[in-house]
Amino acid sequence: MLTADDVIQALELEPHVEGGYFGRSFVSDSRFDDSRNLWTSIYFMLKTGEKSHLHQLTADEMWYFHSGESLTIYMISEQGELTEAQLGMDLAKGERPQVLVPKGTIFGSAMNNPGYSLVGCMVAPGFTFDDFKLFGRDELLERFPQHQALINRLTRD
C-alpha cells in the first residue's frame, strides 16, 4: 500500500501555500483570455493533521476524489452561508466523488480520518495566483463571526 510520502514522490508534489501538497497535471491548450488558459488541473493532497486553509478563487473549481481518506470541503458563500460537502467514495454516508466550489466562495478542507487524501482540482477559467486570495483569521472573523470555530480551525493566524 502506498504511503503519503510515496504519492508525493511519485507525482512530484510540492508544498502548497494554502496547506497540503500539489502538482500540476494538465493545462488546456485553449485560451480563455490573454492571461488565462481555458482550464487547469492539479493533484492536491492532504496528510494527517494538514488542512487546506480558507481561501477564495475568482473561478469555479471542481474537486475529484482519487484515493485515500475522504475529506470535508467547507464553503462560506459571499452572503455568509456555511455549507459542507463530503468528498470521497462512501456514497451511503453522503460522500460524493466530485464537488463543485463556485467562484467567489471562501473555502478550505480537512480530512475526515488519519492517513492521506489525494484529489484532483480543475479550475475554469484556468488558475492563476492573481485570482487566488488566502485569508487571515481576523478578516474572516470580522466578516463572519458566526463561523468562529471553523475560521479558527482553517486559518493560520
Side-chain angles (χ1 to χ4, degrees), residues 37-56:
N37 294 84
L38 187 59
W39 54 264
T40 57
S41 185
I42 65 167
Y43 294 113
F44 181 72
M45 188 172 105
L46 294 175
K47 298 191 310 185
T48 300
E50 297 177 338
K51 46 196 126 284
S52 166
H53 294 91
L54 291 168
H55 62 287
Q56 183 180 50

Side-chain angles (χ1 to χ4, degrees), residues 10-51:
L11 296 177
E12 300 178 358
L13 304 182
E14 56 191 69
H16 197 297
V17 66
E18 79 189 47
Y21 299 84
F22 83 106
R24 291 174 182 86
S25 53
F26 297 98
V27 175
S28 172
D29 289 335
S30 299
R31 299 295 295 179
F32 176 77
D33 60 22
D34 290 338
S35 64
R36 292 177 292 187
N37 294 84
L38 187 59
W39 54 264
T40 57
S41 185
I42 65 167
Y43 294 113
F44 181 72
M45 188 172 105
L46 294 175
K47 298 191 310 185
T48 300
E50 297 177 338
K51 46 196 126 284

Side-chain angles (χ1 to χ4, degrees), residues 110-157:
M111 293 177 49
N112 295 331
N113 297 299
Y116 73 87
S117 182
L118 177 66
V119 303
C121 299
M122 178 184 271
V123 176
F127 177 86
T128 70
F129 273 102
D130 291 339
D131 300 323
F132 172 88
K133 179 176 182 179
L134 185 64
F135 287 91
R137 182 171 293 152
D138 291 341
E139 179 180 0
L140 289 178
L141 286 174
E142 185 175 316
R143 287 178 63 188
F144 308 111
Q146 69 273 32
H147 305 308
Q148 180 179 0
L150 176 67
I151 291 167
N152 286 338
R153 181 175 171 218
L154 294 184
T155 54
R156 287 193 176 105
D157 48 47

